[in-house]
Amino acid sequence: MSILNVCVIGHSYIRRLRDYCMQTETDNLNLDPKVFKVSFRGKGGLRLSKRVFRAEILHFDSISDVVFLQIGENDICESTNSEKLARDIISVGQYLRDGVGVKLVIIGQLIRRMQFASCQNFNVFVVQTNEHLKRFAEPLGGIYFWGHRGFWKDFHYLGPDGVHLLCTPAEDQPMRKFRCSIRNAVILHSNVLRPPLCHPKREPGEMMWQREEYHHQHHQLKYIMGKKGKKEPENRRRLTLSMCYQILIMNFWQKKL
């Protein structure tokens, strides 16, 4: 079985994540090196509009199978059009898929900042852009939107500068959570490229996240299957093929416990 090459691309969040993974000896995102090979391309202050983004960051000598993209926050200013920003991010994903030949592109949800560290409506634009990204990515094959968990209740995950994730010797949970989020995205979505023949190495607390996701989606599946012949309520979210596939994956993991 060939190893899947994964490249994590983005701004300073990714550069800091790479440094954190090296310090904690999880430079492969704590993934099984027999299944995944992870590399990082992170550059502080990276923006979609900068020439260096396409000239250096998006240039591949060896094409990756999977790319996780965390970009867009640095492009937000007071005059930002959130729909245009989302389309620009999606176009990068399409370039990676169609122009470079990447099999699977995962676009990470934009993350909020403290008010003092950004423009006045920064967080409003973040929410709007995420909504557009989710909607634009849904019908596209090979391009997926990924929502980070644990970064929306408050701002406790941010460091003193109000921009970057808190990561100190005494408190590294936000950065650890960010690493786990990207790791989970790679595991779940890469299964469309190859069936899960073996159970990936788990991190502490990961099964709790997997159980929650499994039970939530399994409940939706039972509801729909149990209502055969009856009209589904308008506000009931329909399962996509991707969600059904994830249910099968979760079911496989459950049996492995």
Side-chain angles (χ1 to χ4, degrees):
M1 182 186 300
S2 61
I3 295 176
L4 288 179
N5 290 305
V6 180
C7 187
V8 184
I9 296 176
H11 45 57
S12 55
Y13 268 47
I14 303 305
R15 178 178 58 80
R16 289 168 178 252
L17 174 63
R18 178 196 61 199
D19 295 343
Y20 173 75
C21 288
M22 292 180 64
Q23 293 168 5
T24 56
E25 298 182 352
T26 57
D27 52 316
N28 206 50
L29 285 178
N30 214 21
L31 290 165
D32 187 345
K34 296 178 181 178
V35 181
F36 299 97
K37 182 180 179 181
V38 180
S39 61
F40 296 89
R41 294 189 180 188
K43 188 176 183 63
L46 191 64
R47 294 177 181 169
L48 291 164
S49 57
K50 288 189 175 181
R51 182 181 301 177
V52 67
F53 182 60
R54 293 190 179 273
E56 297 180 16
I57 303 298
L58 298 185
H59 176 74
F60 289 83
D61 292 324
S62 177
I63 301 173
S64 297
D65 298 296
V66 181
V67 166
F68 186 97
L69 189 64
Q70 186 71 44
I71 193 75
E73 288 94 336
N74 292 334
D75 291 271
I76 294 178
C77 62
E78 201 57 51
S79 61
T80 292
N81 181 322
S82 58
E83 182 173 351
K84 182 182 183 304
L85 176 58
R87 290 191 185 278
D88 289 344
I89 296 173
I90 290 292
S91 71
V92 173
Q94 291 174 318
Y95 168 76
L96 288 169
R97 182 194 62 184
D98 303 330
V100 177
V102 175
K103 298 175 183 175
L104 181 67
V105 179
I106 307 170
I107 298 174
Q109 188 172 19
L110 275 63
I111 297 178
R112 298 178 303 162
R113 298 176 178 177
M114 290 282 198
Q115 184 65 56
F116 71 84
S118 53
C119 65
Q120 183 176 358
N121 294 311
F122 180 89
N123 293 330
V124 174
F125 289 135
V126 164
V127 173
Q128 291 176 350
T129 304
N130 285 331
E131 291 174 349
H132 291 310
L133 282 172
K134 185 176 182 179
R135 178 165 54 89
F136 294 156
E138 189 170 352
L140 301 177
I143 300 176
Y144 300 92
F145 174 77
W146 181 260
H148 295 297
R149 290 173 171 242
F151 298 104
W152 302 101
K153 187 177 180 180
D154 50 41
F155 294 99
H156 72 281
Y157 56 86
L158 293 173
D161 64 1
V163 173
H164 298 102
L165 298 178
L166 180 64
C167 186
T168 66
E171 178 56 85
D172 67 345
Q173 184 180 13
M175 185 62 78
R176 184 157 28 95
K177 189 175 292 185
F178 185 59
R179 183 193 68 196
C180 288
S181 180
I182 295 178
R183 179 179 183 274
N184 287 331
V186 171
I187 291 174
L188 285 174
H189 286 299
S190 65
N191 282 304
V192 302
L193 302 179
R194 180 175 55 198
L197 300 180
C198 59
H199 193 293
K201 183 172 64 173
R202 302 189 187 100
E203 291 195 346
E206 184 177 356
M207 279 311 301
M208 181 180 297
W209 176 86
Q210 292 170 352
R211 284 178 183 273
E212 289 177 357
E213 197 73 12
Y214 169 80
H215 288 302
H216 171 69
Q217 296 184 4
H218 187 61
H219 174 76
Q220 286 186 314
L221 184 61
K222 286 197 301 183
Y223 175 88
I224 292 175
M225 293 179 67
K227 296 289 184 178
K228 191 175 293 185
K230 296 182 180 181
K231 186 176 180 180
E232 183 183 354
E234 291 297 326
N235 61 350
R236 175 65 64 173
R237 179 184 178 187
R238 293 182 179 275
L239 287 178
T240 63
L241 288 176
S242 175
M243 291 172 65
C244 290
Y245 192 80
Q246 288 183 22
I247 290 172
L248 295 176
I249 296 168
M250 296 300 178
N251 192 28
F252 173 83
W253 288 347
Q254 288 278 345
K255 293 177 179 177
K256 281 287 185 179
L257 292 179

